[in-house]
Amino acid sequence: MDADEFYRHARTDRTGPLHGVRVLDVTKVWSGPMAACVLADLGAEVIRVEMPGNREGTLPPHIPGTSLSWFRETVHRNKRSVGLDLRVPEARPVFRKLVATADVVLENYKPGTLDAWGVGYAACREVRADLVFVSISGWGQYGPDADRAGYDPITQAASGWMSLNGDADGGPVRAPTFLADDLAGLHGALGALAALRHRDSTGEGQHVDVSMLDSLLFQSSGFLTLGATGATPRRWGNETDFAVPAGLFRCADTDIYLVITLNKHWRQFAEVIGRPELARAAGYATNEDRREHRDKVNAVVSEWCARHPARYVVDTLRAAGLIAERVRTFGEVAADAHVRARDMLVDTELCTGERAPLTGPAVKFSGTPTGVRSAAPRPGADTGEVLRGIGLSDREQDRLRERRAI
């Protein structure tokens, strides 16, 4: 199937499957903005409520060839921006007017912060009873640690995840991406969608509570259950407990990752490397054998890989129906024809008039295609337009500016 065939029934009159849903993005840093980014990519109208002093646009590195930070451009595309300081009392009635027009409010402040400002769930629910109000935080809205601040690497450490990441004989290592933030963002978006489905069938809104800790534990492959029952997993580095061989192997020029999980694949591998006698040999024939003789099996794989360039190894194994891949840099991945064909990089005009290839949405919809419709706006760029849309005249807006509310 090619792209034209996949999208043959695509509509051009909608922004995506969430066309017509309005989301207020009252978030900071990454977990909340990511949840709002997912909903925006899916076609929702996302209005970002920007606080003064927002430094997201200045965080290094800047996208080469532009004056803008990778941070803001990545996570705030497909949104509009309103400059509204919820700490100022005069801003709060304006926010509540926006809430009256919204389907979803997304926030990721420390629990109790928005309540203290008079714009928490209880206050917003008075304005719109069927509102879906999504709160993302480090530790959740209740529980002994609910009032703690949360950051991505702290969550990785607290969850047990970091204890398993890194070389088997080394120390714990954090993920290079914002893993806990990203997962909480995805669960926040998923929670919003589930709550919207419930609202559409019952008319009932609700408060959705997403914890970074809970999200990372949920996505930890059941290791929490093992920990609770005394079977605490060990750190394996690039290998796995359940399949051998599986790991990083050095070729003549660079590294590949290779994994063999089925016994029939081991037999194919033995033929490919010219060692057919190992197909059913003691210590090699079954995965249980190979797990017991891990070092011996890995030595066979290592010896063969070391004699050949990575491209040869990968192509030879792939031709035999086996799974291996060269370890690539993000720069190499960005040049990959498959990545380009999947629209995972979208050439986009930024708010400065500069251009950059922004990462595209992951999920593809044949009937309601999604994409990068617009770059991240300048903070507050849409304040006037959005507030006029809820009935605030230019004179009223001027008075709010005098009070530094907007």
Side-chain angles (χ1 to χ4, degrees):
M1 179 183 295
D2 60 20
D4 289 340
E5 183 181 359
F6 181 78
Y7 290 114
R8 65 189 182 278
H9 299 305
R11 299 179 59 163
T12 59
D13 60 336
R14 302 179 74 82
T15 54
L18 292 186
H19 183 91
V21 173
R22 174 174 272 198
V23 178
L24 297 186
D25 172 5
V26 192
T27 66
K28 52 192 174 62
V29 194
W30 198 264
S31 62
M34 176 53 69
C37 177
V38 171
L39 297 177
D41 283 357
L42 293 176
E45 177 196 9
V46 175
I47 299 173
R48 176 158 176 76
V49 177
E50 302 265 13
M51 298 285 278
N54 188 342
R55 296 184 59 253
E56 292 167 352
T58 64
L59 291 174
H62 285 189
I63 301 172
T66 80
S67 58
L68 298 171
S69 168
W70 115 98
F71 193 103
R72 183 177 178 85
E73 298 311 305
T74 297
V75 83
H76 293 316
R77 80 286 186 85
N78 290 339
K79 301 178 183 179
R80 292 197 289 166
S81 174
V82 170
L84 190 63
D85 191 341
L86 297 177
R87 298 168 298 185
V88 178
E90 289 84 356
R92 297 164 191 170
V94 178
F95 180 73
R96 286 192 284 268
K97 283 190 175 184
L98 282 172
V99 170
T101 71
D103 300 287
V104 178
V105 170
L106 260 170
E107 64 94 8
N108 70 332
Y109 283 82
K110 187 176 176 182
T113 300
L114 295 193
D115 289 324
W117 294 343
V119 291
Y121 174 59
C124 290
R125 191 171 183 273
E126 290 179 359
V127 176
R128 180 159 184 174
D130 65 350
L131 181 70
V132 172
F133 192 98
V134 180
S135 295
I136 301 174
S137 62
W139 317 94
Q141 299 299 300
Y142 59 86
D145 292 332
D147 62 349
R148 289 180 61 190
Y151 293 101
D152 178 272
I154 302 302
T155 307
Q156 291 184 37
S159 66
W161 188 95
M162 192 183 292
S163 72
L164 295 183
N165 193 45
D167 292 334
D169 56 354
V173 178
R174 75 168 182 86
T177 61
F178 307 140
L179 182 63
D181 277 336
D182 276 330
L183 290 176
L186 287 173
H187 281 281
L190 182 61
L193 295 175
L196 283 172
R197 174 70 181 96
H198 176 76
R199 184 204 67 177
D200 290 346
S201 62
T202 67
E204 299 169 348
Q206 61 185 301
H207 193 178
V208 179
D209 175 12
V210 179
S211 154
M212 291 165 59
L213 177 66
D214 295 350
S215 299
L216 192 49
L217 290 174
F218 181 82
Q219 304 292 171
S220 291
S221 305
F223 287 163
L224 182 63
T225 294
L226 293 179
T229 53
T232 303
R234 55 167 283 193
R235 188 184 307 130
W236 284 99
N238 286 309
E239 296 191 67
T240 71
D241 178 25
F242 54 85
V244 175
L248 203 65
F249 295 92
R250 183 70 184 178
C251 295
D253 52 355
T254 189
D255 296 314
I256 66 158
Y257 196 94
L258 178 152
V259 58
I260 293 175
T261 58
L262 301 179
N263 294 331
K264 69 175 183 177
H265 287 168
W266 171 257
R267 294 192 289 271
Q268 290 172 272
F269 180 77
E271 293 288 339
V272 166
I273 68 173
R275 299 288 303 276
E277 74 279 7
L278 298 180
R280 300 182 187 278
Y284 295 91
T286 69
N287 191 52
E288 290 73 21
D289 289 338
R290 295 190 296 275
R291 289 178 65 214
E292 290 181 13
H293 299 87
R294 181 182 298 266
D295 291 343
K296 186 166 63 172
V297 174
N298 285 340
V300 169
V301 179
S302 295
E303 190 276 331
W304 179 72
C305 289
R307 290 190 279 115
H308 304 287
R311 187 75 273 161
Y312 171 85
V313 170
V314 170
D315 289 347
T316 300
L317 295 178
R318 189 175 295 172
L322 303 176
I323 304 298
E325 185 55 78
R326 185 170 61 86
V327 178
R328 302 189 293 181
T329 67
F330 275 107
E332 291 171 321
V333 175
D336 187 295
H338 183 78
V339 172
R340 295 281 181 168
R342 297 284 296 173
D343 293 323
M344 289 310 298
L345 283 170
V346 182
D347 183 58
T348 306
E349 182 175 346
L350 308 181
C351 66
T352 57
E354 300 161 320
R355 303 193 71 87
L358 300 185
T359 304
V363 183
K364 321 301 180 189
F365 297 86
S366 66
T368 52
T370 60
V372 180
R373 302 184 301 278
S374 61
R378 293 185 188 276
D382 306 293
T383 302
E385 178 187 0
V386 171
L387 296 191
R388 279 192 292 274
I390 58 171
L392 269 70
S393 67
D394 290 346
R395 180 175 296 179
E396 289 173 302
Q397 291 187 42
D398 288 340
R399 284 199 294 268
L400 289 169
R401 286 191 182 91
E402 291 172 2
R403 290 177 167 84
R404 300 181 181 239
I406 65 172

